[in-house]
Amino acid sequence: MTVLVTGAAGFIGFHTCVRLLDRGETVVGVDVMNGYYDVGLKEARLAQLISYPNFTFYRVDIADRAAMAAVAGAHPAIDRYINLAAQPGVRYSLEAPHEYTHANVEGHLVMLELARHNPKLRHFVYASSSSVYGANSKLPFSEDDRVDNPISLYAATKRAGELISHCYAHLYRLPTTGLRFFTVYGPWGRPDMAAYLFAKAIMAGEAIKVFNNGNLRRDFTYIDDIVAGIVAVLDRPPAVIEGSAPARLYNIGNNRSEALLDFVGEVVKALGREARFEFLPMQPGDVPETYADISALARDAGYAPTTPISVGIPKFVEWYKAYHKV
Ligand SMILES: NC(=O)c1ccc[n+]([C@@H]2O[C@H](COP(=O)([O-])OP(=O)(O)OC[C@H]3O[C@@H](n4cnc5c(N)ncnc54)[C@H](O)[C@@H]3O)[C@@H](O)[C@H]2O)c1
């Protein structure tokens, strides 16, 4: 049996593929390799995946129906999907809104249509985001909280993906699980995210841009914990029971709300350099704090993150230094 993983050359997709391949799965990876950030990093991740004999890769846009149908047609053993391909980033969604509806809404729908027409389908797992909680001030964020006040287009498209998935689960008895990721970091991480931006600025002797004058808190989640959660969920599709949609949604975070400046402090310590700061106002679309209630995922899939930032950041920095040869 085969798993189709989209966004395979992306940060979370790459690590997920490695975990699945290491446990002997056959994996079909799809990624359009767009230039939102350095394509060289995506290629370097992909180069590792391609070394596995049971990995096949397609450079395809998930919103391209004909191309995705061809991928599915070439791999009739696909029985599970992990849809991680997306246009991420809260700030960029103010600049390039159509990229978000294209990948996160149209692309997501194309993936659900593929799954719906697959007679072997066992489970459709997909990425959502903590950003769906918008300006919610009740902490920690729980799956029972209202999520109808998005404050960025990114969040709105991620919420749309959840709603469309629920609709498909209801209409076609399609088992779906959405995972609301909370600020993921680690080796091979994204250059547009905090850990990478801080390391880059420190190494270049530039000031670190700190928004909301440093008054930000995030539930930072280490990549290995995230991947353990994705795989645990994949193996536990919701039961198809008469009278209810087989659709689940979970927070997947670290269940700790850390001050951004403490996170920076760990990067500074691991790099062994001085840091300078440029304090800036809050960015439009950003939220002051995220904090995940993970009790539902712990209960249903045994999810138990084990990596505090004091352990995860040195691992990220070790990779950053090796990758950039600094
Ligand atoms: N990293 C985080 O902290 C975080 C937080 C919340 C949600 N998420 C979600 O998790 C998923 C993975 O995020 P990531 O951090 O690995 O991001 P990433 O940008 O590293 O990976 C996404 C990959 O999808 C590919 N892609 C984009 N549009 C595509 C399309 N139309 N067709 C095919 N491929 C396409 C990109 O080339 C990229 O390699 C995304 O859905 C993202 O929204 C991530």
Side-chain angles (χ1 to χ4, degrees):
M1 292 299 123
T2 301
V3 193
L4 174 60
V5 180
T6 72
F11 172 38
I12 301 174
F14 158 70
H15 285 281
T16 303
C17 287
V18 169
R19 184 72 60 96
L20 293 171
L21 290 161
D22 282 343
R23 76 172 193 179
E25 299 260 15
T26 300
V27 177
V28 174
V30 167
D31 200 301
V32 76
M33 311 288 283
N34 68 27
Y36 169 62
Y37 62 77
D38 180 23
V39 178
L41 178 57
K42 296 182 184 183
E43 284 167 350
R45 296 180 187 129
L46 198 53
Q48 295 186 51
L49 297 177
I50 282 169
S51 67
Y52 286 85
N54 45 343
F55 179 78
T56 315
F57 179 71
Y58 293 89
R59 184 171 187 166
V60 164
D61 181 344
I62 58 162
D64 182 336
R65 279 187 260 171
M68 285 309 301
V71 171
H75 298 276
I78 292 170
D79 61 350
R80 287 152 297 155
Y81 300 77
I82 306 180
N83 188 33
L84 301 170
Q87 178 54 59
V90 165
R91 290 165 201 166
Y92 186 58
S93 69
L94 278 78
E95 278 173 49
H98 297 286
E99 301 291 329
Y100 289 77
T101 50
H102 177 80
N104 306 1
V105 181
E106 181 61 25
H108 190 69
L109 179 61
V110 169
M111 292 302 302
L112 282 165
E113 273 289 307
L114 274 191
R116 170 198 164 192
H117 291 290
N118 181 349
K120 291 207 177 77
L121 175 81
R122 283 164 55 200
H123 200 182
F124 185 94
V125 176
Y126 64 94
S128 185
S129 165
S130 61
S131 65
V132 300
Y133 290 107
N136 186 357
S137 56
K138 176 190 150 289
L139 294 164
F141 295 165
S142 154
E143 294 89 343
D144 297 329
D145 296 345
R146 291 188 68 157
V147 282
D148 48 8
N149 293 298
I151 59 167
S152 71
L153 185 72
Y154 171 63
T157 59
K158 283 292 176 186
R159 181 63 184 142
E162 294 182 351
L163 294 172
I164 296 167
S165 303
H166 188 278
C167 171
Y168 266 59
H170 170 77
L171 289 175
Y172 308 116
R173 321 305 299 155
L174 194 150
T176 68
T177 302
L179 293 171
R180 292 175 174 165
F181 296 122
F182 281 68
T183 318
V184 189
Y185 73 98
W188 299 97
R190 266 170 41 200
D192 63 323
M193 292 190 68
Y196 206 115
L197 290 170
F198 297 156
K200 192 174 172 202
I202 293 166
M203 293 312 290
E206 290 165 1
I208 294 177
K209 290 193 170 81
V210 182
F211 296 101
N212 203 27
N213 295 309
N215 295 316
L216 290 176
R217 299 184 73 88
R218 290 285 180 272
D219 196 323
F220 291 103
T221 322
Y222 189 64
I223 184 66
D224 291 359
D225 289 326
I226 287 285
V227 172
I230 294 173
V231 173
V233 157
L234 180 71
D235 294 343
R236 293 168 176 79
V240 180
I241 302 165
E242 200 53 44
S244 76
R248 285 198 193 129
L249 266 176
Y250 294 109
N251 289 339
I252 178 162
N254 200 31
N255 192 226
R256 287 163 187 252
S257 175
E258 319 257 12
L260 186 76
L261 290 176
D262 291 344
F263 187 79
V264 179
E266 292 292 344
V267 180
V268 171
K269 195 162 72 180
L271 282 169
R273 300 267 184 116
E274 293 293 307
R276 289 186 298 115
F277 297 97
E278 182 185 355
F279 290 99
L280 295 163
M282 189 74 166
Q283 291 259 297
D286 258 359
V287 298
E289 179 164 5
T290 68
Y291 179 16
D293 176 345
I294 56 170
S295 51
L297 193 55
R299 178 195 65 218
D300 292 351
Y303 177 67
T306 56
T307 320
I309 57 172
S310 58
V311 173
I313 284 292
K315 290 185 181 176
F316 163 74
V317 165
E318 191 185 336
W319 167 79
Y320 181 92
K321 283 161 72 177
Y323 182 72
H324 289 287
K325 301 186 174 61
V326 291

